[in-house]
Amino acid sequence: MVLTRSKKRVAKSQTPPLKRAEKPQSLALKRKAEKPQALASKKGGAKSQKTPPLKKQKKEAVVEEDPSEDDEEEVSDDAAASTDVESDDGEEEGSNGLGSSGFFSDDDGEENDDDGEELLGDDFLEGSGDEEEHSDSGSGSDSDSDEGDIEKESKLIDEEEAKEEEDAKAELLDFNKEAGDDAFRLPTEEELEEEARGPPDLPLLQSRIKEIVRALSNFSVLRPNGASRKDCVEQLKSDIASYYGYNSFLIGALFELFPPVELMELIEAFEKQRPTSIRTNTLKTRRRDLADVLLNRGVNLDPLSKWSKVGLVVYDSQVPIGATPEYLSGFYMLQGASSFLPVMALAPQENERIVDVAAAPGGKTTYVAALMKNTGLIFANEMKVPRLKSLTANLHRMGVTNTIVCNYDGRELPKVLGEKSVDRVLLDAPCSGTGVISKDESVKVSKSLEEIKKFAHLQKQLLLAAIDMVDATSKTGGFIVYSTCSLMVAENEAVIDYALKKRSVQLVKTGLDFGQDGFVRFREHRFHPSLNKTKRFYPHVHNMDGFFVAKLKKMSNMKQASEDDDEALGTVDEADVPSDDDEAEAMEEMEKPKKTKESKEGLAKSKESKKGKKSKSKKGEDPPKIKKQRKNRTEMRMEISQAREEKRKAMREKSKEKQ
């Protein structure tokens, strides 16, 4: 419907013309007033008497227009009248369900024919009565159709987005293939020969390492033309070795432990120094007080982490952190964060007997003494004489009074201190140091497979000796903590697995909430399932030195296989790194009695066979022979220990004479 307006005048008593400012209200009221008129005209009801004046007013209002200023005052009266009509006829409209579209279409046609009227664009935008009737009568069907349309549109949008994502992925893969083919390829043999003739081109090596690592991360897509995975891995090993200065053995061993991407993170972490950390000596001060004092001296520090209550990490310092009055007074100890872990796993209790097999320079020993509050007894053993000075100095500086320093081979401690004589043992075993390359870069080129095997043999025997010293019936203890600063499986999981087979011990949880679990299987090796209770720490993951920690609980004091252990002892003595002449002589002395025993036993057997004695007498004679063999073995061991002690005394005397 289109509403029009005329230019003729009309009396003030009639309905005023519509104005643009009041258009929405007046138009709506007029429409509501006209609907009852249409109903009344068709039905001819009783209320038809009111319709003629209203219709007349409507026609005259539409036909003529009064531009006078008084029209605005009469609009309110007309609105009131229209509302009255609406209230009277609202029920008839609802009952009949008839719309106003037909009424408006006829009247509008008559008005357009009778009067030459101008179209109102603004009124047209407001809509007609037909639209209102259609929206009222078909609101349910329209809403259902609208919801169905929205669902269809949303499904179409989702399908289009999924297609776009698939196309983007396919395009990215194609781009990666093209970029990989264009930007990277493995060097030929001729190019490698040319590179070998001159000095290493570090930018070229670095870019090639990145490209190979990228290709290996998604080899099925980024595979270089004509290259296998083995070729890429071998080229990456050689490039890393030449760029970072590693030998081929160590790079190969690390490749077996980590994938290429993680390996590069580890190697980059080895090139950076770990944060400097200090441990508060709780025997003399508290961490808060120490932090306040050091902050006043210009030391920038923070608490180490949530897992440590005594550690502080030092970022920078205006004074030497190892020469402050607090350091000299023994308020703190310079100690790596990874060295806290074995002592925390050991969890020493007050009034216990504890052995630290490899104690120098004393960081772990002083930490144990602080946890024990200077009660009980600690045996701090160190095999190397030059390291005893730093051990004793730190013990005195930190105010430790419950510790005895001794100088023995760790494998002989069960003879010196006695078996089943202590509650707990801490064994931070000597190792290859592959986890602390950031401190000692010589490890990159100095380690080999033979040396790793030697360390593994030594660690196995030290661990067996540590287990023998512990009393399984201890009320508070019976624990052994084994730790190394190595990443090699042969020095960690393999050693623990060996101890589980040789002694009646079992692994327990270390009590450390962080760290990665140890290997249960590694390449062709299969270890005890409980090895997942051990913990591994890596520089690129935990921002500390590479470390391995395991905690054992001794279940029984009985040995499972003593003869195998004796044979292993002999192999380790031969493979020990500090080979001494006295040890070789002692080994010869051990072999001589064995030969004499064998000859005597052979003569005895021949005599018995000639005499033809009964089997009962033979069974009666066998036990004394075994007793004699045991006595001879103990005598030989005592002789070996005496020879070593004599040599050490001679070395000490020589060192004193030189000084």
Side-chain angles (χ1 to χ4, degrees), residues 100-169:
S100 62
S101 61
F103 177 77
F104 274 103
S105 62
D106 296 337
D107 293 341
D108 291 341
E110 294 174 359
E111 290 171 358
N112 291 333
D113 294 338
D114 295 340
D115 304 322
E117 297 164 346
E118 296 178 356
L119 297 175
L120 296 178
D122 294 338
D123 294 341
F124 176 75
L125 294 175
E126 292 294 331
S128 62
D130 297 335
E131 295 174 357
E132 291 181 359
E133 180 183 2
H134 180 70
S135 63
D136 293 337
S137 61
S139 60
S141 62
D142 291 342
S143 62
D144 296 338
S145 62
D146 291 341
E147 291 177 358
D149 294 339
I150 292 171
E151 290 179 358
K152 291 179 181 179
E153 290 177 359
S154 63
K155 289 180 180 179
L156 291 174
I157 292 171
D158 294 337
E159 291 177 358
E160 290 177 359
E161 290 180 354
K163 288 181 180 179
E164 289 178 359
E165 290 180 358
E166 292 177 358
D167 295 339
K169 290 180 180 179

Side-chain angles (χ1 to χ4, degrees), residues 389-400:
K389 294 181 181 179
S390 62
L391 174 60
T392 54
N394 285 322
L395 290 173
H396 286 296
R397 182 175 63 85
M398 302 291 282
V400 176

Side-chain angles (χ1 to χ4, degrees), residues 638-652:
M638 292 297 294
E639 291 176 359
I640 292 170
S641 61
Q642 289 177 0
R644 288 176 179 171
E645 288 179 0
E646 290 177 359
K647 185 179 178 182
R648 290 196 188 97
K649 290 179 181 179
M651 291 174 64
R652 290 173 186 171

Side-chain angles (χ1 to χ4, degrees), residues 177-195:
K177 288 181 180 179
E178 294 176 359
D181 295 338
D182 296 338
F184 170 68
R185 62 177 179 81
L186 290 179
T188 61
E189 295 181 358
E190 296 177 355
E191 292 176 352
L192 292 175
E193 290 177 359
E194 291 179 0
E195 291 180 6

Side-chain angles (χ1 to χ4, degrees), residues 357 410-411 414 425-430 455-470 479-484 491-503 505 507 531 548 550-552 554 569:
V357 179
R411 294 167 291 183
V425 174
L426 174 61
L427 174 58
D428 186 18
F455 278 115
H457 279 297
L458 178 61
Q459 290 157 357
K460 289 176 182 178
Q461 302 314 311
L462 287 173
L463 182 56
L464 292 183
I467 293 171
D468 292 340
M469 282 188 290
V470 174
F479 296 101
I480 305 97
V481 170
Y482 174 82
S483 64
T484 64
E491 299 181 72
N492 297 327
E493 284 87 354
V495 175
I496 298 296
D497 189 67
Y498 176 83
L500 292 174
K501 295 176 181 177
K502 299 298 179 183
R503 295 289 186 271
V505 294
L507 280 167
L531 276 166
F548 175 82
K551 187 174 184 180
L552 295 166
K554 190 172 183 180
L569 277 170

Side-chain angles (χ1 to χ4, degrees), residues 37 276 485 537 549 556-557 627:
Q37 292 174 3
T276 302
C485 55
F537 303 91
V549 180
S556 174
N557 291 324
K627 290 181 181 179

Side-chain angles (χ1 to χ4, degrees), residues 230-243:
K230 183 178 179 181
D231 296 335
C232 293
V233 170
E234 293 298 330
Q235 185 62 43
L236 182 59
K237 288 181 181 179
S238 62
D239 290 343
I240 292 175
S242 57
Y243 186 81

